[in-house]
Amino acid sequence: MTTNPTPIASRPWLQPLLDVLAILAWGVLLLKYWLTGKMNVLLHPGYIWLAYSAGFFLVGLGLYKLGQFLWRMRRSNRVRITGAATHFSLFSPVWSSGLLLVVALFGLQFTPQPFASDVALNRGVTDTLTMTRSQPQSFRGNKRPEDRSIVEWVRLLNVYPEPDAYKGQNVNVDGFAIHLPTLPDNYFMIARFVITCCAADVYPVGIPVKLKGNRSAHPADNWFRVQGKMITETIDNRRQLVIEASQIQEIPKPKNPYDY
Amino acid sequence: MNQLNNALTLFFSLMVEAMPFLLLGVLFSSALLLFVDERRLIQLVPKNPLLAAFVGSLIGFLFPVCECGNVPVARRLLVQGAPGAMAIGFLLAAPTVNPIVFWATWTAFRDQPELVFLRVGCSLLIATIIGWVFSRQADLRPLMQPAIARSMPVYLDKPTQGKGKSQGKSQDTPTLLQSGTFLLGQKDQPFRLDGNPAATAALTMNPALGKPFPDRLRLMVDNVILELRELGGILILGSAVAAIVQIAVPREVVLGLGQGQVSSIVAMMVLACVVSICSTVDSFFALSFASTFTTGSLLAFLVFGPMIDLKNIALLWSVFKTRAIVYLFLLAGQMTFFVALLVNLYIS
């Protein structure tokens, strides 16, 4: 009885070559995201060093295996697959390496984009931090009101949620606009995404802005600097803090779209 | 189009965050696989089954192996005469109770440190209890695959109580009249290896330990690549599932499932079983559900997944018979559900 040789048996160079290419591709991908500044869209700054360190390591490992592979090819014209400990594998080794390689090559073509208002609406933009979300890391209540960011305002509200406590305080915040369907047409939400670890956990926080006119003049996802005063209003049967805007200025999207 | 872009951004974010931890995990497990002799550990195990199970559960701190690496190690421990309680404790706890997984979980959930400590504590507790339960079966061989059972040591001149002892038949026959393979120097008594000596040697020997250092280093690099390939493939699948669920499934559906005290736990346990993501990086997967699912359900995912999942069941079949895997699955599942429910009701 004869059996057809498996692809690996007939092409012993295929598996090691795929392994080398997949490892190199992932190393290059991690370094590319780091060097092009796109890592800011994907990770909290505290963990970027981990990602590029892994990138350097993978490139080094890939180059070492590539050298070994070429040396063996030249020396004996055949590749000996060394038997490391065997594992159970969900895919065949060729498929695993192929999948890793294809995904890394796709990643090299793909430019990560910061999330926008559609994700904020899907995740539920609020002026509160829920139980499953970031607890205040560092909190300074003695900051001048006009120096507080949106996230700092929201953290302040979490610690002391009485909106009247902030009535009349000056506001000067940067963020992107979200047109919440639950808000009247003369309101929009000025919001920022907060990142704790990676894009999987970013969540939006925001404060409603009361306009003199219609919100269509401030398109969703555009970035604005909003200046004004804090007032309290009842919206959606809930008394909450609202920014009464005196000046709204469009600003370019920041290089790092997330806050911490 | 925008949704696809969001899903891809999320997917690559999970991959980029998880890759360094996966790399660390496979580096450690490969180094330990090739440079550490488990037999020295076995000599230090306490006699008491409960303590043995507890010590076995803690050994993950010395052997930071994930679900792929722990089964071969547990198999070697059993064949080299480790008490069943210790081996089962190690098998269930090692993928979670180890420094790399602790760091990864801390990275993902540093805003909920209670979840990090609950994960380690509950994994230790459940693994120790299951190890202890299994120690009541004095002879584990009926629960093992025949090849393993034949290779497990049969301690002679021991009463019928205790670990690793033989069945009564061989006790009645004087040592000199018994045939078989005997090893000396283990706990001051000979132990016999029933079955094929070559197969036994293959099971008990850590194949790398006899090789010179440069060869071991080369083997280590090969093992790193092998594990990266296998686990990286599964990580891609897991990250894709997380990204699709977060972007494509309507928020109402996810919230409806994730906010129920019981439904959220069941959903996350099923997900843990199906996704089979490596314990080194499963915290990042769980993180993508942190804003919609209860804390108890996240804990259930983080505790149950590394113990029993589809990938792991296939591995466990290389050691245990189906009956034993069902016991492990039911015990781990019930206890995980119970502690997760307690967390939902009384802590979070």
Side-chain angles (χ1 to χ4, degrees):
Chain A
M1 196 176 85
T2 57
T3 54
N4 291 329
T6 59
I8 274 291
S10 59
R11 291 193 290 272
W13 47 266
L14 179 64
Q15 181 63 62
L17 183 64
L18 276 176
D19 287 346
V20 165
L21 292 176
I23 288 167
L24 277 174
W26 271 101
V28 170
L29 177 67
L30 291 171
L31 293 179
K32 183 204 162 190
Y33 282 162
W34 171 53
L35 293 169
T36 55
K38 287 297 169 192
M39 208 63 101
N40 289 328
V41 175
L42 300 174
L43 297 183
H44 185 285
Y47 303 117
I48 288 176
W49 69 273
L50 266 175
Y52 68 69
S53 303
F56 280 119
F57 182 88
L58 287 171
V59 167
L61 182 67
L63 289 174
Y64 164 74
K65 289 305 286 183
L66 182 65
Q68 197 181 52
F69 172 79
L70 293 173
W71 182 73
R72 281 183 181 158
M73 287 288 278
R74 278 186 56 187
R75 190 161 160 265
S76 60
N77 218 6
R78 53 189 284 273
V79 176
R80 179 170 54 89
I81 300 170
T82 49
T86 51
H87 290 239
F88 163 75
S89 181
L90 197 65
F91 315 107
S92 78
V94 173
W95 273 101
S96 270
S97 302
L99 182 65
L100 277 164
L101 179 60
V102 167
V103 169
L105 291 175
F106 180 79
L108 287 166
Q109 305 299 315
F110 173 72
T111 305
Q113 297 294 335
F115 293 143
S117 60
D118 57 336
V119 173
L121 289 170
N122 187 40
R123 294 191 180 187
V125 61
T126 60
D127 62 357
T128 56
L129 303 162
T130 63
M131 280 305 290
T132 54
R133 289 171 174 174
S134 178
Q135 311 299 314
Q137 293 291 307
S138 57
F139 182 71
R140 302 215 319 273
N142 57 358
K143 221 174 183 180
R144 289 192 321 153
E146 51 269 47
D147 293 338
R148 288 178 199 141
S149 66
I150 294 172
V151 178
E152 284 167 332
W153 274 109
V154 170
R155 285 194 177 138
L156 196 60
L157 273 169
N158 269 268
V159 175
Y160 190 69
E162 176 49 58
D164 284 336
Y166 314 103
K167 210 168 161 179
Q169 292 191 357
N170 292 329
V171 187
N172 179 14
V173 291
D174 294 349
F176 65 95
I178 301 174
H179 291 180
L180 275 181
T182 51
L183 286 175
D185 281 348
N186 60 328
Y187 291 82
F188 74 82
M189 190 76 108
I190 189 83
R192 286 299 286 260
F193 277 110
V194 180
I195 188 169
T196 309
C197 168
C198 63
D201 67 78
V202 300
Y203 61 92
V205 290
I207 303 170
V209 178
K210 189 177 184 179
L211 306 166
K212 291 185 175 71
N214 191 289
R215 66 185 173 193
S216 55
H218 307 288
D221 295 332
N222 286 18
W223 283 73
F224 298 99
R225 175 162 297 151
V226 176
Q227 292 167 315
K229 282 203 182 311
M230 283 297 187
I231 56 170
T232 52
E233 292 211 341
T234 303
I235 302 172
D236 233 4
N237 297 322
R238 192 168 75 93
R239 210 162 52 84
Q240 56 182 297
L241 207 56
V242 172
I243 302 169
E244 188 170 45
S246 56
Q247 193 185 355
I248 300 177
Q249 175 194 352
E250 188 157 350
I251 56 170
K253 183 192 288 187
K255 195 175 155 199
N256 193 340
Y258 302 130
D259 209 331
Y260 314 107
Chain B
M1 199 62 215
N2 208 11
Q3 280 213 320
L4 181 66
N5 216 321
N6 290 336
L8 287 170
T9 298
L10 194 62
F11 169 78
F12 279 108
S13 165
L14 285 167
M15 288 298 297
V16 162
E17 179 66 288
M19 196 54 90
F21 288 98
L22 187 68
L23 201 53
L24 267 177
V26 301
L27 275 172
F28 260 85
S29 73
S30 302
L32 291 161
L33 181 74
L34 296 160
F35 291 94
V36 174
D37 188 352
E38 306 91 349
R39 279 174 293 191
R40 291 182 192 171
L41 278 176
I42 295 172
Q43 291 162 1
L44 304 173
V45 180
K47 294 270 187 293
N48 180 298
L50 185 60
L51 277 177
F54 184 65
V55 167
S57 304
L58 283 172
I59 287 175
F61 262 93
L62 303 174
F63 283 73
V65 284
C66 68
E67 305 97 301
C68 289
N70 71 332
V71 174
V73 175
R75 189 177 69 174
R76 277 204 300 274
L77 287 172
L78 281 166
V79 171
Q80 287 168 5
M86 171 208 175
I88 302 278
F90 170 81
L91 185 76
L92 296 175
T96 309
V97 185
N98 77 57
I100 293 167
V101 173
F102 185 86
W103 185 27
T105 315
W106 183 267
T107 302
F109 290 102
R110 67 201 161 96
D111 287 336
Q112 291 173 273
E114 68 278 10
L115 194 61
V116 183
F117 291 103
L118 276 169
R119 177 184 198 185
V120 173
C122 293
S123 298
L124 261 179
L125 179 76
I126 291 169
T128 304
I129 292 173
I130 296 177
W132 191 38
V133 167
F134 268 71
S135 74
R136 300 305 301 158
Q137 170 85 16
D139 186 357
L140 277 179
R141 286 179 298 167
L143 298 175
M144 299 291 172
Q145 291 293 357
I148 308 288
R150 278 198 302 274
S151 308
M152 283 172 76
V154 181
Y155 287 99
L156 305 173
D157 73 353
K158 279 222 142 196
T160 44
Q161 289 300 314
K163 54 191 183 263
K165 54 133 200 69
S166 72
Q167 288 158 312
K169 200 170 53 170
S170 58
Q171 300 287 333
D172 306 333
T173 316
T175 308
L176 287 172
L177 298 180
Q178 291 179 28
S179 61
T181 309
F182 294 84
L183 289 186
L184 296 174
Q186 296 277 327
K187 303 179 187 180
D188 307 324
Q189 61 198 314
F191 78 74
R192 192 179 80 199
L193 298 166
D194 289 352
N196 180 338
T200 301
L203 282 165
T204 51
M205 275 289 294
N206 185 337
L209 288 175
K211 295 180 188 292
F213 186 81
D215 283 6
R216 278 200 242 178
L217 215 53
R218 263 197 297 277
L219 273 174
M220 181 184 147
V221 171
D222 286 341
N223 196 67
V224 164
I225 288 168
L226 177 118
E227 290 194 3
L228 261 184
R229 178 209 302 149
E230 290 174 0
L231 302 177
I234 292 169
L235 177 62
I236 284 175
L237 281 188
S239 301
V241 167
I244 290 165
V245 167
Q246 212 182 84
I247 299 296
V249 178
R251 186 174 162 78
E252 298 71 36
V253 174
V254 177
L255 278 177
L257 205 61
Q259 294 302 299
Q261 304 279 40
V262 172
S263 67
S264 62
I265 298 172
V266 173
M268 281 311 247
M269 282 173 74
V270 170
L271 204 59
C273 220
V274 172
V275 173
S276 298
I277 197 163
C278 177
S279 63
T280 320
V281 291
D282 61 357
S283 13
F284 304 112
F285 180 96
L287 185 62
S288 65
F289 295 90
S291 59
T292 43
F293 272 71
T294 58
T295 304
S297 69
L298 298 178
L299 179 69
F301 178 91
L302 294 171
V303 169
F304 188 61
M307 289 184 182
I308 308 280
D309 59 34
L310 289 183
K311 165 173 61 96
N312 205 16
I313 286 173
L315 275 168
L316 289 170
W317 245 311
S318 69
V319 182
F320 296 101
K321 286 183 178 164
T322 308
R323 190 158 51 112
I325 298 174
V326 170
Y327 293 154
L328 284 172
F329 181 88
L330 289 176
L331 286 168
Q334 282 175 1
M335 280 193 262
T336 306
F337 180 83
F338 184 65
V339 293
L341 195 60
L342 280 181
V343 167
N344 271 354
L345 294 176
Y346 296 105
I347 296 177
S348 67

